Structures are given as structure tokens and as C-alpha cells.
Amino acid sequence: KRHPSRAACHACGKRNAYGAEECMCLKCKMAVYCSRECQAKAWSAGHEEECAAYVRMHEEWLETMPDEPVLPAAYSQWLKD
């Protein structure tokens, strides 16, 4: 869950939508909703396409990450010493 002051419903815009019913899109994890009704409304209003784009961008970003962490040369040298 997100911090209450940052939570705004992706469908209705209600601020501080932080409560027992708050839910987040489980696919993209970018959209927060104040209720299941707002989540369903947003999905049919176009979040489905938006969600797919977020997921694609995240997957493309992951493909650019190296297999091993990249350390600055000075730090790498310090580790060897």
C-alpha cells in the first residue's frame, strides 16, 4: 500500500483514498483505487491498455539491466585493495 498522503484513486481522483477497501492494480502496480468499483470502472475506461504499456516498459527496462551489478571503477579498486 502507498502512503496515505500520496494515494489518489486512479478512477475518481479521490484524495487520501487510503482505507480498508483500497486496492492497487496487480499487473502494473501503478494505479491505486479507492474501491473495487472504481477499479472496474477504470479498467473499462482504458486502464487495460495503459496497464499493458506500463508492463511492457518495465519488461524492456529489465532487459537493459546487466546480469552483474556495475560498480564505479574507484569503488571496484577499493574492494580489491
Side-chain angles (χ1 to χ4, degrees), residues 50-77:
E50 181 182 53
C51 182
Y54 284 139
V55 171
R56 270 194 312 276
M57 286 188 316
H58 182 71
E59 288 170 352
E60 290 171 4
W61 177 78
L62 286 176
E63 289 174 4
T64 66
M65 300 301 292
D67 292 335
E68 296 292 324
V70 178
L71 302 174
Y75 185 69
S76 297
Q77 185 59 44

Short mmCIF file of all heavy atoms in Angstrom, two decimals, residues 50-77:
data_model
loop_
_atom_site.label_atom_id
_atom_site.label_comp_id
_atom_site.label_asym_id
_atom_site.label_seq_id
_atom_site.Cartn_x
_atom_site.Cartn_y
_atom_site.Cartn_z
N GLU A 50 -3.40 1.07 -20.87
CA GLU A 50 -2.39 1.78 -20.11
C GLU A 50 -1.55 0.79 -19.29
O GLU A 50 -0.33 0.88 -19.25
CB GLU A 50 -3.09 2.78 -19.19
CG GLU A 50 -2.18 3.61 -18.35
CD GLU A 50 -2.98 4.53 -17.44
OE1 GLU A 50 -3.87 4.03 -16.71
OE2 GLU A 50 -2.71 5.74 -17.48
N CYS A 51 -2.23 -0.16 -18.69
CA CYS A 51 -1.58 -1.17 -17.87
C CYS A 51 -0.59 -2.00 -18.71
O CYS A 51 0.53 -2.24 -18.30
CB CYS A 51 -2.65 -2.07 -17.25
SG CYS A 51 -2.02 -3.35 -16.17
N ALA A 52 -1.04 -2.42 -19.88
CA ALA A 52 -0.18 -3.21 -20.76
C ALA A 52 1.06 -2.42 -21.14
O ALA A 52 2.17 -2.98 -21.21
CB ALA A 52 -0.96 -3.64 -21.99
N ALA A 53 0.91 -1.12 -21.37
CA ALA A 53 2.06 -0.28 -21.72
C ALA A 53 3.04 -0.18 -20.55
O ALA A 53 4.25 -0.26 -20.74
CB ALA A 53 1.58 1.11 -22.13
N TYR A 54 2.53 -0.01 -19.32
CA TYR A 54 3.40 0.03 -18.15
C TYR A 54 4.18 -1.27 -18.01
O TYR A 54 5.38 -1.27 -17.74
CB TYR A 54 2.58 0.24 -16.87
CG TYR A 54 2.07 1.63 -16.62
CD1 TYR A 54 0.78 1.82 -16.13
CD2 TYR A 54 2.86 2.75 -16.84
CE1 TYR A 54 0.30 3.10 -15.87
CE2 TYR A 54 2.38 4.02 -16.59
CZ TYR A 54 1.11 4.19 -16.11
OH TYR A 54 0.63 5.44 -15.85
N VAL A 55 3.50 -2.39 -18.19
CA VAL A 55 4.15 -3.69 -18.06
C VAL A 55 5.22 -3.87 -19.13
O VAL A 55 6.33 -4.32 -18.83
CB VAL A 55 3.11 -4.83 -18.09
CG1 VAL A 55 3.77 -6.19 -18.18
CG2 VAL A 55 2.19 -4.75 -16.87
N ARG A 56 4.92 -3.49 -20.37
CA ARG A 56 5.92 -3.57 -21.45
C ARG A 56 7.14 -2.71 -21.16
O ARG A 56 8.28 -3.15 -21.34
CB ARG A 56 5.30 -3.12 -22.79
CG ARG A 56 4.67 -4.23 -23.57
CD ARG A 56 4.38 -3.81 -25.02
NE ARG A 56 3.72 -2.52 -25.14
CZ ARG A 56 2.41 -2.31 -25.06
NH1 ARG A 56 1.60 -3.32 -24.83
NH2 ARG A 56 1.90 -1.10 -25.19
N MET A 57 6.91 -1.48 -20.69
CA MET A 57 8.04 -0.59 -20.38
C MET A 57 8.91 -1.18 -19.28
O MET A 57 10.13 -1.14 -19.36
CB MET A 57 7.53 0.79 -19.94
CG MET A 57 7.02 1.63 -21.07
SD MET A 57 6.63 3.35 -20.64
CE MET A 57 5.75 3.22 -19.10
N HIS A 58 8.28 -1.78 -18.27
CA HIS A 58 9.04 -2.38 -17.18
C HIS A 58 9.86 -3.57 -17.69
O HIS A 58 11.03 -3.71 -17.33
CB HIS A 58 8.10 -2.81 -16.06
CG HIS A 58 8.81 -3.38 -14.88
ND1 HIS A 58 9.55 -2.61 -14.02
CD2 HIS A 58 8.91 -4.65 -14.43
CE1 HIS A 58 10.07 -3.39 -13.09
NE2 HIS A 58 9.69 -4.63 -13.31
N GLU A 59 9.26 -4.40 -18.53
CA GLU A 59 9.99 -5.56 -19.07
C GLU A 59 11.16 -5.11 -19.93
O GLU A 59 12.25 -5.68 -19.87
CB GLU A 59 9.04 -6.44 -19.87
CG GLU A 59 8.06 -7.19 -18.99
CD GLU A 59 6.96 -7.89 -19.77
OE1 GLU A 59 6.84 -7.68 -20.99
OE2 GLU A 59 6.19 -8.65 -19.15
N GLU A 60 10.96 -4.06 -20.75
CA GLU A 60 12.05 -3.54 -21.58
C GLU A 60 13.17 -2.98 -20.71
O GLU A 60 14.35 -3.16 -21.00
CB GLU A 60 11.53 -2.47 -22.53
CG GLU A 60 10.65 -3.04 -23.63
CD GLU A 60 9.95 -1.97 -24.44
OE1 GLU A 60 10.20 -0.77 -24.22
OE2 GLU A 60 9.13 -2.35 -25.30
N TRP A 61 12.79 -2.29 -19.63
CA TRP A 61 13.79 -1.75 -18.72
C TRP A 61 14.60 -2.87 -18.08
O TRP A 61 15.83 -2.78 -17.97
CB TRP A 61 13.10 -0.91 -17.65
CG TRP A 61 14.03 -0.38 -16.62
CD1 TRP A 61 14.88 0.68 -16.75
CD2 TRP A 61 14.23 -0.89 -15.31
NE1 TRP A 61 15.59 0.87 -15.58
CE2 TRP A 61 15.20 -0.09 -14.68
CE3 TRP A 61 13.66 -1.93 -14.59
CZ2 TRP A 61 15.63 -0.31 -13.38
CZ3 TRP A 61 14.08 -2.16 -13.29
CH2 TRP A 61 15.06 -1.35 -12.70
N LEU A 62 13.93 -3.95 -17.67
CA LEU A 62 14.64 -5.07 -17.06
C LEU A 62 15.63 -5.71 -18.02
O LEU A 62 16.69 -6.16 -17.60
CB LEU A 62 13.64 -6.13 -16.57
CG LEU A 62 12.85 -5.78 -15.32
CD1 LEU A 62 11.84 -6.87 -15.02
CD2 LEU A 62 13.76 -5.56 -14.13
N GLU A 63 15.30 -5.73 -19.31
CA GLU A 63 16.20 -6.31 -20.32
C GLU A 63 17.49 -5.51 -20.44
O GLU A 63 18.51 -6.05 -20.86
CB GLU A 63 15.50 -6.40 -21.66
CG GLU A 63 14.42 -7.46 -21.71
CD GLU A 63 13.64 -7.44 -23.02
OE1 GLU A 63 13.98 -6.66 -23.93
OE2 GLU A 63 12.66 -8.21 -23.12
N THR A 64 17.47 -4.23 -20.08
CA THR A 64 18.66 -3.40 -20.20
C THR A 64 19.58 -3.52 -18.99
O THR A 64 20.70 -3.04 -19.02
CB THR A 64 18.30 -1.91 -20.37
OG1 THR A 64 17.67 -1.44 -19.17
CG2 THR A 64 17.40 -1.70 -21.56
N MET A 65 19.09 -4.17 -17.93
CA MET A 65 19.89 -4.29 -16.72
C MET A 65 20.97 -5.35 -16.90
O MET A 65 20.70 -6.43 -17.43
CB MET A 65 19.00 -4.66 -15.53
CG MET A 65 17.90 -3.65 -15.23
SD MET A 65 18.54 -2.01 -14.87
CE MET A 65 19.33 -2.29 -13.32
N PRO A 66 22.19 -5.06 -16.45
CA PRO A 66 23.26 -6.07 -16.55
C PRO A 66 23.01 -7.22 -15.59
O PRO A 66 22.30 -7.08 -14.59
CB PRO A 66 24.51 -5.29 -16.17
CG PRO A 66 24.02 -4.15 -15.35
CD PRO A 66 22.64 -3.83 -15.84
N ASP A 67 23.60 -8.38 -15.91
CA ASP A 67 23.45 -9.54 -15.04
C ASP A 67 24.14 -9.33 -13.69
O ASP A 67 23.70 -9.82 -12.67
CB ASP A 67 24.02 -10.79 -15.70
CG ASP A 67 23.18 -11.22 -16.90
OD1 ASP A 67 21.99 -10.87 -16.93
OD2 ASP A 67 23.73 -11.86 -17.80
N GLU A 68 25.25 -8.63 -13.72
CA GLU A 68 26.01 -8.35 -12.51
C GLU A 68 25.93 -6.85 -12.21
O GLU A 68 25.86 -6.04 -13.13
CB GLU A 68 27.49 -8.75 -12.70
CG GLU A 68 27.69 -10.23 -12.92
CD GLU A 68 27.36 -11.04 -11.68
OE1 GLU A 68 27.62 -10.57 -10.56
OE2 GLU A 68 26.83 -12.15 -11.85
N PRO A 69 25.97 -6.47 -10.94
CA PRO A 69 25.95 -5.04 -10.63
C PRO A 69 27.18 -4.33 -11.21
O PRO A 69 28.27 -4.90 -11.24
CB PRO A 69 25.97 -4.98 -9.11
CG PRO A 69 26.05 -6.37 -8.62
CD PRO A 69 26.03 -7.30 -9.78
N VAL A 70 26.98 -3.14 -11.68
CA VAL A 70 28.08 -2.34 -12.24
C VAL A 70 28.52 -1.36 -11.16
O VAL A 70 27.73 -0.55 -10.70
CB VAL A 70 27.63 -1.58 -13.50
CG1 VAL A 70 28.75 -0.73 -14.03
CG2 VAL A 70 27.12 -2.56 -14.55
N LEU A 71 29.78 -1.47 -10.77
CA LEU A 71 30.30 -0.60 -9.72
C LEU A 71 31.23 0.45 -10.33
O LEU A 71 31.93 0.17 -11.31
CB LEU A 71 31.09 -1.43 -8.71
CG LEU A 71 30.33 -2.55 -8.01
CD1 LEU A 71 31.28 -3.38 -7.16
CD2 LEU A 71 29.21 -1.98 -7.17
N PRO A 72 31.26 1.64 -9.76
CA PRO A 72 32.22 2.64 -10.23
C PRO A 72 33.63 2.10 -10.08
O PRO A 72 33.93 1.33 -9.16
CB PRO A 72 31.99 3.83 -9.30
CG PRO A 72 30.64 3.61 -8.69
CD PRO A 72 30.42 2.13 -8.68
N ALA A 73 34.51 2.49 -11.00
CA ALA A 73 35.89 1.98 -11.02
C ALA A 73 36.60 2.20 -9.69
O ALA A 73 37.29 1.31 -9.20
CB ALA A 73 36.67 2.62 -12.16
N ALA A 74 36.46 3.37 -9.09
CA ALA A 74 37.14 3.66 -7.82
C ALA A 74 36.66 2.71 -6.72
O ALA A 74 37.46 2.23 -5.92
CB ALA A 74 36.89 5.11 -7.42
N TYR A 75 35.37 2.43 -6.70
CA TYR A 75 34.84 1.52 -5.68
C TYR A 75 35.34 0.10 -5.94
O TYR A 75 35.70 -0.62 -5.00
CB TYR A 75 33.31 1.58 -5.68
CG TYR A 75 32.69 0.77 -4.57
CD1 TYR A 75 32.81 1.14 -3.25
CD2 TYR A 75 31.98 -0.41 -4.87
CE1 TYR A 75 32.23 0.39 -2.23
CE2 TYR A 75 31.41 -1.15 -3.85
CZ TYR A 75 31.54 -0.75 -2.54
OH TYR A 75 30.98 -1.50 -1.54
N SER A 76 35.36 -0.31 -7.20
CA SER A 76 35.86 -1.64 -7.54
C SER A 76 37.32 -1.80 -7.11
O SER A 76 37.70 -2.84 -6.58
CB SER A 76 35.73 -1.89 -9.04
OG SER A 76 34.39 -1.87 -9.43
N GLN A 77 38.11 -0.75 -7.33
CA GLN A 77 39.52 -0.79 -6.93
C GLN A 77 39.63 -0.87 -5.42
O GLN A 77 40.44 -1.60 -4.87
CB GLN A 77 40.27 0.43 -7.46
CG GLN A 77 41.76 0.42 -7.19
CD GLN A 77 42.45 -0.80 -7.80
OE1 GLN A 77 42.19 -1.16 -8.94
NE2 GLN A 77 43.33 -1.43 -7.05
#
